[in-house]
Amino acid sequence: MPEDMSHQLLQAMNRRRPAVHCLTNTVVQALTANMLLAVGAIPSMSTDIAEVADFTAGANTLIVNLGTLDQDRKMAIEAALETARENNIPWILDPVLIDRAPRRLAYAQELINSGPALIRGNKAEISALSPTESPANIARKTGAIVAVTGKTDLIANGTQEVTLTGGHEMMSRVTGIGCAGTALLGACLAVAPESQRLSAVAAGLTLLGKAGKEAARNAAGPGSFAAMILDQIYQISQSSLHERKEL
Amino acid sequence: MPEDMSHQLLQAMNRRRPAVHCLTNTVVQALTANMLLAVGAIPSMSTDIAEVADFTAGANTLIVNLGTLDQDRKMAIEAALETARENNIPWILDPVLIDRAPRRLAYAQELINSGPALIRGNKAEISALSPTESPANIARKTGAIVAVTGKTDLIANGTQEVTLTGGHEMMSRVTGIGCAGTALLGACLAVAPESQRLSAVAAGLTLLGKAGKEAARNAAGPGSFAAMILDQIYQISQSSLHERKEL
Amino acid sequence: MPEDMSHQLLQAMNRRRPAVHCLTNTVVQALTANMLLAVGAIPSMSTDIAEVADFTAGANTLIVNLGTLDQDRKMAIEAALETARENNIPWILDPVLIDRAPRRLAYAQELINSGPALIRGNKAEISALSPTESPANIARKTGAIVAVTGKTDLIANGTQEVTLTGGHEMMSRVTGIGCAGTALLGACLAVAPESQRLSAVAAGLTLLGKAGKEAARNAAGPGSFAAMILDQIYQISQSSLHERKEL
């Protein structure tokens, strides 16, 4: 099922060219933009308080990634979330390394009150949000889909839960594969009907895992892997154009 | 003609190692620096108000790219333009995504009063500057060369116009090829006589298009393409050293 | 000797996964993180004044790189150095382009009073620090190891001096190989006994040079070289796991 959904989403991305505004950390901006471009989505990344409302209003999804967070970026996040709320634009929280910095964790918890459609993190990050609760419980309380990525991926929306295997250890040897993956999920949510968001997230992570596994098969190390995972995503996106089912 | 000019410019870059100071967005900084290094130019990217005058004064060309613009960057742009004016250093405006953000557009229009030697953008960006005027008209009014890049490139200086074909669709699937290309044009202007700037811009875009086309021939997707276009530019630069004509 | 030491350090990195907090310029952040991940180290890059103490306190080494320096970054540097001092965490200064900007040079000289374990720069940068003194003299005065990298690398600690050849010209055609190399040395210092820091720095630079030389053998230009040097570092790191000697 996720694979069929992948094809449909990729076809829709190629047709609609969704705009994804990414408030994301400076380390992963290039990889993130390139992953979005590989599937035909249109990235933008301005964090300026004077511009962020314009860019967010024109976007189909908003990504809020907490890496390299600073005061200006926090103001931009607030302005962008305000615009997203007014325009009913879904937004995704990527709580990067909140397990390493208590003040960043507190900020992430505050942001969750603004109703993200999806929270995507690794096990340590999602655990930090609420150490005693399961992802499904966090999903129930927040109303967000919660995706915990790692060796296996778990996706929960409070009523359903999906577990995915796939991917490759090499994905953790390149900075930003997780963050760029979050932006890819943003492109998925941009073209999926609201009722199918859980499946769309699963389809997006399936695509990423498949691309990662295939790239790792041929890569001589993390340098060539980073190029090859983009190549794979692009190839899968292009080949989806020859599939029959449309969303 | 542009190809001969390319060789001459590339030889001059290898000999003179022009310094190009780039006030450019954080998404494309690495690719931009790498494209400059591939032709033997020396990139610098400081945006700090305390340093930008020093770096600009030591540069042969200044790039002002409006991506990831913020207040600090605006102050840096003003200080750098002041220094460029005092030292008669040509500067290039890359009005990234001004079609998406009205306040950025207004800022771009204000900057043009400081007399850029070149404005380089895609069709949507250049149209946004002045929706009812042709690039040639914008060139006449501003005194700048105007380069509109895309499937075909158009370069106008108010009296002459050059159209180039070449390049490849894959160039739009990697973030920053356009922005890095602007910096490459900065290296071209740094070594070209002022009377030959139109030809120098055409030669630079010809080089970029040729490298892109050749890279796309062998790339499995945008990840490997991004590496291969740099390889191609480097190879063309190196092979120019064995050509006879010198500028 | 440095090669044996390399194996031991790489084994220790794989086992201990040292955290390296990098206050580094936005141009080279991705390459720097990727080089650390290639050897199994854990990078973090926050420069926010509200978070930098948390990240530094959890790190095994701190990198202070002066590229794309600004006021916020200077405040972050001060806060991080304070935390490093309190927690006895070694820190490394990479005085990027201080030969180009007098105010950056003055700032670098001020920072040296905070006692870096290592200063790593190219010849022009280290000369700018103290034009009339040898690296060995600078080491004696500051108490830091001084590493001058280039065609040959010179490493001095005031009593000993090591000269290394190796590497390849292509390393200067990719932005950030030097900066990322500094972070790699941070991972080396994180796992080396304090008494063996000179050898650890030599081992780290030997590893980088070896990887660069091997990558250049197969690269078609700087684009593929950038990927291949990461692949090589990863491969050497992985193959060290099959060596016998442990640190």
Side-chain angles (χ1 to χ4, degrees):
Chain A
M1 193 271 298
E3 192 136 345
D4 269 10
M5 183 80 175
S6 279
H7 286 312
Q8 292 170 359
L9 293 174
L10 289 168
Q11 287 171 356
M13 285 175 208
N14 270 299
R15 206 169 55 246
R16 298 195 217 160
R17 312 298 301 257
V20 181
H21 191 64
C22 305
L23 298 174
T24 194
N25 71 78
T26 50
V27 187
V28 306
Q29 285 179 330
L31 181 68
T32 300
N34 284 335
M35 202 175 282
L36 288 170
L37 290 168
V39 294
I42 311 291
S44 59
M45 306 221 159
S46 175
T47 58
D48 186 34
I49 191 69
E51 300 184 333
V52 75
D54 289 335
F55 279 104
T56 303
N60 300 98
T61 329
L62 171 70
I63 309 296
V64 176
N65 174 302
L66 302 187
T68 63
L69 193 64
D70 62 24
Q71 290 310 311
D72 289 345
R73 200 170 277 262
K74 282 183 191 172
M75 290 199 307
I77 290 172
E78 277 165 47
L81 288 179
E82 175 78 13
T83 303
R85 198 181 50 72
E86 286 167 10
N87 294 273
N88 202 25
I89 295 164
W91 71 279
I92 304 180
L93 178 66
D94 191 330
V96 179
L97 291 183
I98 50 170
D99 53 309
R100 288 277 305 277
R103 270 163 288 205
R104 190 183 287 185
L105 170 58
Y107 184 64
Q109 284 164 329
E110 191 189 314
L111 286 179
I112 290 174
N113 295 327
S114 299
L118 169 66
I119 304 169
R120 203 287 313 164
N122 62 30
K123 201 174 252 186
E125 291 158 353
I126 300 298
S127 289
L129 275 183
S130 187
T132 60
E133 289 183 295
S134 69
N137 265 343
I138 298 175
R140 262 187 291 277
K141 280 204 183 161
T142 61
I145 298 172
V146 175
V148 189
T149 57
K151 255 190 190 170
T152 63
D153 298 336
L154 175 78
I155 309 150
N157 69 358
T159 58
Q160 290 170 275
E161 220 170 275
V162 180
T163 304
L164 301 171
T165 54
H168 192 276
E169 188 272 340
M170 192 65 87
M171 294 166 80
S172 67
R173 293 289 186 137
V174 176
T175 193
I177 295 287
C179 299
T182 299
L184 183 65
L185 297 179
C188 292
L189 292 192
V191 298
E194 199 171 332
S195 64
Q196 294 183 37
R197 285 188 179 166
L198 187 85
S199 305
V201 171
L205 290 174
T206 301
L207 165 64
L208 187 65
K210 195 178 158 189
K213 202 170 180 177
E214 194 58 30
R217 194 196 304 276
N218 297 302
S224 49
F225 176 81
M228 286 179 181
I229 193 170
L230 288 172
D231 288 351
Q232 284 297 324
I233 289 172
Y234 175 78
Q235 286 177 18
I236 297 170
S237 165
Q238 292 295 304
S239 71
S240 77
L241 300 179
H242 309 297
E243 298 287 325
R244 230 183 273 167
K245 283 169 204 143
E246 295 256 341
L247 193 65
Chain B
M1 194 270 300
E3 192 136 346
D4 269 11
M5 183 82 175
S6 280
H7 286 312
Q8 292 170 359
L9 293 174
L10 289 168
Q11 288 171 355
M13 285 175 207
N14 270 299
R15 205 170 56 246
R16 299 195 216 160
R17 313 296 301 257
V20 182
H21 191 65
C22 305
L23 298 174
T24 194
N25 72 79
T26 50
V27 186
V28 306
Q29 285 179 329
L31 181 67
T32 301
N34 284 335
M35 202 175 283
L36 289 170
L37 290 168
V39 293
I42 311 291
S44 59
M45 308 221 160
S46 175
T47 59
D48 186 34
I49 191 70
E51 300 183 335
V52 76
D54 290 336
F55 279 105
T56 303
N60 300 98
T61 330
L62 171 69
I63 309 297
V64 176
N65 174 303
L66 302 188
T68 64
L69 193 65
D70 62 24
Q71 290 310 309
D72 289 346
R73 201 171 278 262
K74 283 183 190 171
M75 290 197 308
I77 289 172
E78 277 165 48
L81 288 179
E82 175 79 13
T83 304
R85 199 181 49 73
E86 287 166 11
N87 295 273
N88 203 25
I89 295 165
W91 71 280
I92 304 181
L93 178 65
D94 191 331
V96 178
L97 291 183
I98 50 171
D99 52 309
R100 287 277 306 276
R103 269 162 289 205
R104 191 183 286 184
L105 170 58
Y107 185 63
Q109 283 164 330
E110 191 189 315
L111 286 179
I112 290 174
N113 294 326
S114 298
L118 169 66
I119 304 169
R120 204 285 315 163
N122 62 31
K123 202 174 252 186
E125 290 157 353
I126 300 298
S127 288
L129 275 183
S130 188
T132 60
E133 289 183 295
S134 69
N137 265 344
I138 298 175
R140 263 187 291 276
K141 279 203 185 163
T142 60
I145 297 172
V146 175
V148 189
T149 57
K151 255 192 191 170
T152 61
D153 298 336
L154 175 77
I155 309 149
N157 70 357
T159 59
Q160 289 169 276
E161 220 171 275
V162 180
T163 304
L164 300 171
T165 55
H168 192 276
E169 188 273 339
M170 193 65 88
M171 294 166 81
S172 66
R173 293 289 187 137
V174 175
T175 194
I177 294 288
C179 299
T182 298
L184 184 64
L185 298 180
C188 292
L189 293 192
V191 297
E194 198 171 332
S195 64
Q196 295 183 37
R197 284 188 178 165
L198 187 86
S199 304
V201 170
L205 290 175
T206 300
L207 165 63
L208 187 65
K210 195 178 158 190
K213 201 170 180 177
E214 193 58 32
R217 194 196 305 276
N218 298 301
S224 49
F225 176 81
M228 286 180 182
I229 194 171
L230 289 172
D231 288 352
Q232 284 296 325
I233 289 172
Y234 175 78
Q235 286 176 20
I236 297 169
S237 166
Q238 292 295 304
S239 72
S240 77
L241 300 179
H242 309 297
E243 297 287 324
R244 233 183 269 167
K245 284 170 200 138
E246 295 256 341
L247 192 64
Chain C
M1 193 271 300
E3 192 137 345
D4 269 11
M5 182 81 175
S6 279
H7 286 311
Q8 292 170 359
L9 292 174
L10 289 168
Q11 288 171 354
M13 285 175 207
N14 270 299
R15 205 168 56 247
R16 299 194 216 161
R17 312 297 302 256
V20 181
H21 191 64
C22 304
L23 298 174
T24 194
N25 72 79
T26 49
V27 187
V28 306
Q29 285 179 330
L31 182 68
T32 301
N34 284 335
M35 202 175 284
L36 288 170
L37 290 169
V39 294
I42 311 291
S44 59
M45 307 223 160
S46 175
T47 59
D48 186 35
I49 191 70
E51 300 182 335
V52 74
D54 289 335
F55 279 104
T56 303
N60 300 98
T61 329
L62 171 70
I63 308 296
V64 176
N65 174 302
L66 302 187
T68 63
L69 193 65
D70 62 25
Q71 290 311 309
D72 289 345
R73 201 170 277 263
K74 282 183 190 171
M75 290 198 307
I77 290 172
E78 278 166 48
L81 288 179
E82 175 78 14
T83 303
R85 198 182 49 72
E86 286 166 11
N87 294 273
N88 203 25
I89 295 165
W91 71 278
I92 303 181
L93 178 66
D94 191 329
V96 178
L97 290 182
I98 51 171
D99 52 310
R100 288 277 305 275
R103 271 162 286 205
R104 191 184 287 184
L105 169 58
Y107 184 64
Q109 284 165 328
E110 192 189 314
L111 286 178
I112 290 174
N113 294 326
S114 298
L118 169 66
I119 303 169
R120 202 289 312 165
N122 62 31
K123 201 175 253 187
E125 291 157 354
I126 301 297
S127 288
L129 275 182
S130 188
T132 60
E133 290 183 295
S134 70
N137 264 344
I138 299 175
R140 262 187 292 277
K141 279 204 184 162
T142 61
I145 297 172
V146 175
V148 189
T149 58
K151 255 191 190 171
T152 62
D153 299 335
L154 175 77
I155 309 148
N157 68 357
T159 58
Q160 290 170 277
E161 220 171 277
V162 180
T163 304
L164 300 171
T165 54
H168 192 275
E169 188 273 339
M170 193 65 87
M171 294 166 81
S172 66
R173 293 287 187 139
V174 176
T175 193
I177 295 287
C179 299
T182 299
L184 184 66
L185 297 180
C188 292
L189 293 192
V191 297
E194 200 171 332
S195 64
Q196 294 182 38
R197 283 187 179 168
L198 186 85
S199 304
V201 171
L205 290 175
T206 300
L207 165 64
L208 187 66
K210 195 178 160 189
K213 201 170 178 177
E214 193 59 30
R217 194 197 304 276
N218 298 302
S224 48
F225 176 81
M228 286 179 181
I229 194 171
L230 289 173
D231 288 351
Q232 284 296 324
I233 289 172
Y234 176 78
Q235 286 176 19
I236 298 170
S237 166
Q238 293 294 305
S239 71
S240 77
L241 301 179
H242 309 295
E243 298 286 325
R244 232 182 270 166
K245 284 170 201 140
E246 296 255 343
L247 192 65

